[in-house]
Amino acid sequence: MNSDPFEQYEQLALSFEDIVTTKKQDLIQENANMDGRSPCGMMNKFASEASKFYTKTELLSDEAKQAMKDNFIYPHDLDYYATGTTTCAQIPLGKLLQTGFHTGHGFMRTPSDITSAMALATIVFQSNQNMQHGGQSVPAVDFDLAPFVKRTYLKILKRLNSYPLQWTNEEKSKQAWAETERATYQACEAFIHNLNSMHSRGGGQTPFTSINYGTDTSKEGRLLIKNLLLATQAGLGKGETPIFPIQVFKMKKGVNYFADDPNYDLYQLALETTAKRLFPNFSFIDSPFNLAHYNGTPESEVSYMGCRTRVMSNRHGEENSVGRGNLSFTSVNLVKLALTSSSIAEFYHLLNEYSEIIIRQLYDRYLFQAKKQARDFTFLYSQGVWLGGEQLKPDDTLEVILKQGTLSLGFIGLAECLKALTGNHHGEDEESWKLGYEIIQFLRNKMDDAAERYDINYSLIATPAEGLSGKFVKQDQLLFGEIKDITDRAYYTNSFHIPVHYSIRAIDKIRLEGPFHELCNAGHISYIELDGDVRRNVTALDRLVKAMAEHHIGYGSINHPVDHCKVCGYNGLIDEECPSCKSTDEGDFHRIRRITGYLVGDMSKWNSAKMEEERDRVKHGANK
C-alpha cells in the first residue's frame, strides 16, 4: 500500500514474524473456523499475507489501493484474489448424486441407498471447498436426498420379499420403513460427524457447509428432515453441539407454518432442535422479495448460505440459487464516511464516490476471474457444480458461466454512521431510522444502476464482518480518537443491525431490522439474543420465528447460551460451575456461540474485536 517498496517488504516480514511467534491473535485468527496455530494453518497464513501483498501491489487499481489505504473500502478475501476463486456456491447435490462425479482420481457412481448418498454428500462438500474461498451450501437437501431414502426402502423390501415370511405386504412395508428410518438416522448421524471432523484446504479448515430444508412433504423427504433434526439434537460423540453444517429451515405457509400444514410437526421439531443446539436457523419463502421468485418448485425456493449470502435474481438465466453463487464482495466503511463529512449532503457525495470505486473494483476482479480456465477449477466446473460448467472444455475461459454469479457491495457500521450524522442510531430515534433506511436504499439503487450499466448481477449485501469489524475501527481510532458510541469500542456494528449493546425488545429489533432485508438482495440476517435455558420455553421461540415472518425478515436466527462440559458431558447453561459434575475449571467447558452466522465451540479462536462484541451482547428476552 505504501509507495516505498522496501517499506512494503519490511511490513510483510513483520507479519511473517508475528505468524511465527503467534503473538497477534487478530492476525492468526482472522477466521474463527481456522486453527492459525496448527502447522497447516500457519503455512496458510504465510501464503495469505504474501498473496495479499501481491494483490495490493499488482492487481488493484490505483484508486482502489488509495481507497483501501484511506480505510474507506475493503475487498474481502483479498488473499484469494490472485487465485481467481469465487466466493460461494449453492451445490446441485441431487444432480451430482444422480449422475455420479469425479473428485480427481476415480469416478463416484450413483449411490444405491441413503447411507452412501450422505457419505458422498460430504465428499462433494470437501472437494468443492478447495475450489472456492467461501462457503458451500445445498439449496434443498431434503428433495435431493429423498430419492435415496426411497431406494433404501425398496432395497430392504426386496430383501424381505426374498425371505420365506408369512407376512402380509402391509407388514413387510411397515418393517421396511422401520429399517429405512434406522438407516436414515445413522446416515444423518455420520453426515454430521463427518462434516465436523473432516478438513479441507490442506488440513487447515473444516469445510464451511450449509444445508437448506423443510418443505419436502413426501414420506421420504419428511423422514430425511426428521432424522437430520434428531441427529443434530443428539450431538457429536460426547454430546458436543455440531457447528457444521449450518442448517436453515425454510418456512412456507401451507407447508409447515400453520398447525394443519403437512410439515408443521417438523417445524415444531426444528424449534426444539434450535432450543438445544442453536440450529437450524430460519428462512422465510413468503417474504415478498423471496416469494417473487417462487413458482412452486424446489428450485425456486429461496436458499441461504449459512452466514447470510443470498443469490436469486439473474440477468443471464433462471432466477434461482441452484448452481450459482457470489463471485466477490467489497465493503464500504460508512462510519468513516460520516466522520469525514461536514453535512449529510457531503456524506452522500462521498458515499456515491466510493460506491463507484467499489463498482469498478468488483468489475475488474470479475474480469480477472473470467480469464481463468475451466481446468483451474476441475471439480467446480467440470462436474457441473456451477451452472453450465460441465459444458466447458478444459482450456475454455469462464466469462459465459460466471455471468450467472453476483458481484456485491457490502457495508458496515450503519449504527455508528447514524450516531456521527444525527447523534442517534436507528434503534433510538425514528428520524435516524428513516435516514438509515434512505442510506441503504441509496446503496441498493447504486447496485441496480450498476447492473444495468455493466449487464452483470450487481447486488447489495449486509456484510458478514468478522475480521473487518475490528480492522476498520482500529484505523479510524488512529485518526479520530475514541468518540463515544462511535469509535470507542473494538468493533463496528455489523451491517444494518441495531447495536448488540443496546437494550431493546425482541419484537422492536425485528420490526426495525425487517425492512432492510428487502434492500440487501445479496444477503441479510437478523439475530435475537435470549438468556437462560430456552429448551423449557419452545413456545417463545415459535413466537419469535412467527414475528420474523410477519415483519418480512428473509433470514433469521435466535442466539442463546449453549454450553457443554467436557468432563461429564452435561449440555445446557453453565455459569461458573457445571450443574452436574461441579467442575469450575473454565477449560472444561465448550461455550458455543455464534459469530457472523456460524457457530464456534472454542472462543479462543475469536479475534479480539469479536470477543469484545460477544461480551457486549445484551439479551432481548423472549417476553420483553
Side-chain angles (χ1 to χ4, degrees), residues 44-59:
N44 286 339
K45 195 59 187 173
F46 271 112
S48 172
E49 292 303 304
S51 181
K52 287 178 185 176
F53 173 80
Y54 175 80
T55 299
K56 291 173 183 176
T57 56
E58 302 297 329
L59 299 180

Side-chain angles (χ1 to χ4, degrees), residues 308-447:
R308 74 197 61 195
T309 308
R310 171 188 180 276
V311 175
M312 291 299 289
S313 297
N314 189 5
R315 300 176 66 85
H316 301 283
E318 291 187 47
E319 293 200 340
N320 59 45
S321 298
V322 185
R324 303 173 57 218
N326 180 251
L327 303 178
S328 65
F329 71 103
T330 296
S331 290
V332 62
N333 183 351
L334 294 179
V335 190
K336 184 166 186 184
L337 292 179
L339 290 173
T340 307
S341 304
S342 59
S343 66
I344 292 177
E346 185 179 0
F347 170 82
Y348 273 113
H349 174 78
L350 289 175
L351 185 60
N352 183 71
E353 177 184 344
Y354 284 98
S355 297
E356 287 293 333
I357 291 174
I358 289 175
I359 288 167
R360 290 190 288 270
Q361 180 267 315
L362 287 169
Y363 190 68
D364 287 345
R365 189 168 185 174
Y366 158 73
L367 293 177
F368 181 82
Q369 292 167 321
K371 290 177 183 176
K372 292 288 183 175
Q373 295 178 315
R375 70 170 77 245
D376 299 326
F377 306 91
T378 52
F379 189 81
L380 179 62
Y381 300 129
S382 66
Q383 301 306 305
V385 173
W386 194 277
L387 187 63
E390 69 273 25
Q391 299 172 11
L392 298 179
K393 297 176 182 178
D395 57 352
D396 284 346
T397 53
L398 309 176
E399 296 93 334
V400 174
I401 63 170
L402 287 192
K403 285 185 177 181
Q404 304 276 353
T406 60
L407 299 174
S408 303
L409 181 149
F411 60 95
I412 189 171
L414 178 63
E416 291 82 4
C417 165
L418 292 170
K419 271 284 190 182
L421 292 174
T422 71
N424 294 298
H425 61 66
H426 51 313
E428 296 174 307
D429 176 76
E430 184 178 351
E431 291 304 313
S432 293
W433 184 93
K434 290 179 180 177
L435 177 61
Y437 186 85
E438 289 171 3
I439 289 170
I440 306 309
Q441 179 72 72
F442 177 90
L443 289 175
R444 172 60 185 273
N445 291 342
K446 291 293 298 183
M447 294 302 99

